[in-house]
């Protein structure tokens, strides 16, 4: 039983660091699994027994992100049955199993099936971790906390690249996928033992005392039926309808468009950057190393953008970052000296990955508490269409001998993403109800204008 007279614990970042740390570990393995395929693709293309071609490589990359699309769109409904913590565990087990299938695959069909299974697990994990962290984090630290969480994605990407460079040339590409089984061994026991369940989800499932106990332990306001997400199919439909209420009916499609462009960039680059750079004339090891460098830039970008977004608003930062990403992509289209190219790749990583994360941070501020999980789930889920299109489109360009056009594609996605997020403040003002005569002015939107 909780003590209603006990003073609430201060809602600062310190009490929620365990939640942030556990979600960081989960997203680390997400980033590692997503990046593994791009890190080993050049070696797989050189494996005559596998029969991989640029066209089939792009198709298989899209199978992964198609699985992620399905996983993201169905994770919310399954979470209603299981809860967020069990769903996170199930997601990790699923993408670890998919990695094992890839390691064992003797043909491209089975390998593609393994990547699809991995995608199913990966698709549910990211929105769940984002929703957990945004629920537990202090509102004023939402952007910086989201940025800290997403650094793990890029550390995981760097780990996958290191495995590709270290294992694939010596032991073969299959051993890199065997390393992708580690999440089930490392992360699952930690999550089961230490990660709390969402207070809002506990309340929605009728477990009021447990919801209050978790909220008190981490300094959160006790959830009420207003902020608790409704369970079941009817609750899920109601949550989606709420995203199109008057205040956000124009904001929602703009966030979807920005997420589409952001995830096209993220997964297009993660899948194709080494192969594109190799086709531009760089060596095999250097081409794979570019993937590590761009992820290192991504870590710096998240640390910088989170602080800037807390001060100026994530929408402003996302718009600027998308434009700078477009500029970086166009620079990479030119064959520059190797040292200069490393610098361009690194600074492009600073902007590319955190632009998408700032879209997530802005989403958390646009929607009300009861809508946040559905809003994040659909922003990531609909955005996954871009993640499907990116690897497929660049693969089609590569198969036609036009790999350099991949950089142009990335630049166009950056410009469209910038326009979409730049229009969100205007769309918010259009949807905001007019204040009665003599009423004080409405507060500025939390996402920044």
């Amino acid at each position: 039983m909780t003590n209603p007279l006990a003073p609430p614990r201060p809602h600062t970042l310190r009490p929620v660091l365990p939640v942030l740390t556990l979600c960081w570990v989960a997203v680390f393995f997400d980033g590692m699994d997503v990046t593994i395929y791009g890190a080993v693709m050049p070696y797989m293309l050189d494996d005559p027994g596998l029969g991989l071609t640029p066209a089939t490589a792009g198709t298989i990359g899209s199978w992964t992100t198609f699985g992620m699309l399905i996983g993201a769109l169905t994770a919310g409904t399954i979470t209603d049955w299981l809860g967020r913590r069990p769903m996170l565990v199930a997601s990790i087990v699923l993408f670890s199993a998919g990695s094992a299938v890839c390691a064992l695959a003797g043909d491209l069909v089975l390998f593609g099936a393994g990547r699809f299974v991995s995608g199913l697990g990966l698709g549910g994990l990211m929105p769940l971790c984002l929703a957990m962290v945004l629920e537990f984090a202090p509102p004023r630290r939402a952007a910086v906390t989201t940025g800290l969480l997403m650094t793990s994605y890029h550390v995981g990407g760097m780990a996958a690249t290191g495995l590709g460079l270290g294992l694939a040339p010596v032991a073969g590409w299959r051993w890199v996928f065997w390393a992708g089984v580690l999440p089930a061994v490392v992360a699952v026991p930690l999550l089961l033992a230490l990660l709390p369940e969402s207070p809002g989800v506990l309340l929605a499932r009728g477990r009021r005392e447990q919801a209050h106990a978790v909220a008190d332990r981490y300094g959160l306001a006790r959830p009420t039926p207003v902020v608790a997400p409704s369970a079941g199919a009817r609750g899920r439909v109601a949550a989606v309808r709420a995203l199109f209420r008057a205040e956000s009916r124009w904001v929602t499609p703009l966030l979807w468009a920005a997420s589409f462009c952001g995830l096209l960039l993220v997964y297009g680059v993660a899948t194709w950057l080494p192969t594109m750079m190799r086709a531009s004339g760089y060596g095999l090891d250097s081409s794979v190393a570019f993937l590590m460098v761009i992820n290192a830039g991504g870590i710096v970008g998240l640390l910088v953008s989170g602080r800037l977004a807390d001060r100026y608003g994530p929408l402003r930062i996302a718009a600027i970052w998308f434009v700078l990403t477009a500029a970086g992509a166009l620079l990479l289209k030119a064959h520059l000296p190797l040292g200069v190219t490393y610098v361009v790749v690194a600074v492009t990583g600073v902007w590319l990955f955190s632009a998408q994360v700032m879209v997530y941070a802005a989403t958390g501020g646009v929607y009300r508490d009861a809508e946040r999980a559905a809003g994040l789930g659909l922003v990531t889920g609909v955005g996954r269409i871009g993640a499907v299109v990116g690897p497929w489109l660049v693969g089609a360009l590569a198969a036609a001998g036009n790999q350099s056009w991949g950089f142009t594609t990335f630049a166009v996605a950056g410009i469209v993403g910038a326009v979409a997020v730049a229009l969100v403040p205007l769309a918010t003002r259009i949807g905001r109800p007019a204040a009665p005569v003599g009423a004080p002015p409405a507060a500025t939107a939390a996402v920044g204008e």
Side-chain angles (χ1 to χ4, degrees):
M1 298 284 290
T2 57
N3 181 5
L5 301 178
R9 190 171 185 176
H11 191 192
T12 62
L13 190 58
R14 186 182 297 274
V16 302
L17 281 177
V19 176
L20 175 61
T21 301
L22 290 166
C23 289
W24 194 98
V25 171
V27 176
F28 167 87
F29 286 117
D30 182 311
M32 190 177 83
D33 196 280
V34 167
T35 311
I36 276 179
Y37 182 49
V40 301
M41 187 192 296
Y43 304 102
M44 295 175 67
L45 289 168
D46 289 344
D47 183 351
L50 188 63
L52 189 67
T53 66
T56 54
T59 300
I60 289 174
S62 293
W63 288 355
T64 310
T65 51
F66 183 63
M68 294 171 77
L69 170 63
I70 295 174
L73 294 175
T74 58
T77 300
I78 301 175
T79 301
D80 289 340
W81 303 334
L82 300 179
R84 286 184 184 165
R85 183 176 64 174
M87 187 60 194
L88 281 174
V89 170
S91 297
I92 292 172
V93 170
L94 203 57
F95 70 70
S96 296
S99 192
V101 171
C102 290
L104 293 168
D107 56 57
L108 292 178
V109 173
L110 187 57
F111 181 87
R115 291 307 292 163
F116 176 78
V117 170
S118 290
L120 290 174
L122 293 166
L125 187 140
M126 185 69 73
L128 286 170
C129 284
L130 284 166
M132 286 285 287
V133 167
L134 285 171
E135 179 178 8
F136 279 80
R140 292 179 180 268
R141 307 301 299 276
V144 71
T145 305
T146 304
L148 287 171
L149 172 67
M150 293 304 296
T151 61
S152 61
Y153 179 93
H154 302 291
V155 176
M158 294 175 69
T161 307
L163 288 169
L165 287 169
L167 276 179
V170 178
W173 59 266
R174 294 180 187 276
W175 280 100
V176 183
F177 283 100
W178 279 121
V181 181
L182 287 175
V185 179
V186 176
V188 166
L190 290 174
L191 293 174
L192 287 174
L194 301 174
L195 185 69
E197 183 56 275
S198 156
V201 169
L202 288 171
L203 182 64
R205 301 175 73 187
R207 296 158 65 179
R208 179 181 299 273
E209 290 299 323
Q210 288 177 279
H212 289 175
V214 173
D216 293 347
R217 187 184 316 141
Y218 292 94
L220 310 180
R222 289 183 173 181
T224 65
V226 174
V227 302
S230 301
R234 181 174 298 178
R236 186 63 48 190
V237 171
V240 173
R241 285 179 178 169
L243 303 181
F244 291 91
R245 59 190 170 87
E247 295 89 336
S248 57
R249 66 166 59 116
W250 300 112
V251 172
T252 293
L254 287 171
L255 290 173
W256 288 0
S259 185
F260 174 94
C261 294
L263 289 176
L264 185 152
L265 286 163
V266 168
Y267 289 98
V269 168
T271 303
W272 280 103
L273 181 64
T275 304
M276 290 168 64
M277 298 305 284
R278 190 181 184 190
S280 296
Y282 298 96
L284 176 58
D285 289 345
S286 295
S287 297
V288 176
F290 286 133
L291 199 56
M292 181 175 288
V293 172
I294 202 168
N295 276 288
I299 294 171
V300 175
L302 289 168
L303 296 174
V304 171
S305 63
R307 291 184 176 275
L308 291 174
D310 279 339
R311 183 172 181 179
Y312 299 108
L315 289 173
R316 286 192 181 99
I317 302 306
I320 296 169
W321 261 224
F322 270 124
V323 171
L324 293 173
T325 298
L330 290 177
L331 282 174
L332 289 176
K333 190 173 181 178
H335 187 85
L336 304 170
L338 182 61
V340 176
T341 303
Y342 273 119
V343 173
V344 173
V345 169
V347 295
T348 301
V350 171
W351 307 316
L352 186 154
F353 297 106
S354 50
Q356 175 64 18
V357 175
M358 291 305 100
V359 174
Y360 294 148
T363 301
V366 165
Y367 297 118
R368 298 175 299 193
D369 289 344
E371 302 159 5
R372 187 171 295 125
L376 280 167
L378 281 170
V379 164
T380 56
V382 174
R384 295 291 183 193
I385 299 172
V388 174
V389 170
W392 168 81
L393 180 57
V394 179
L397 292 171
N402 297 316
Q403 290 198 41
S404 65
W405 281 92
F407 294 114
T408 304
T409 301
F410 296 151
V412 171
I415 295 299
V416 175
V419 171
V421 292
L423 289 175
V424 168
L426 175 61
T428 303
R429 286 194 291 270
I430 291 172
R432 191 179 297 156
V437 177
T444 303
V447 296
E449 298 182 5

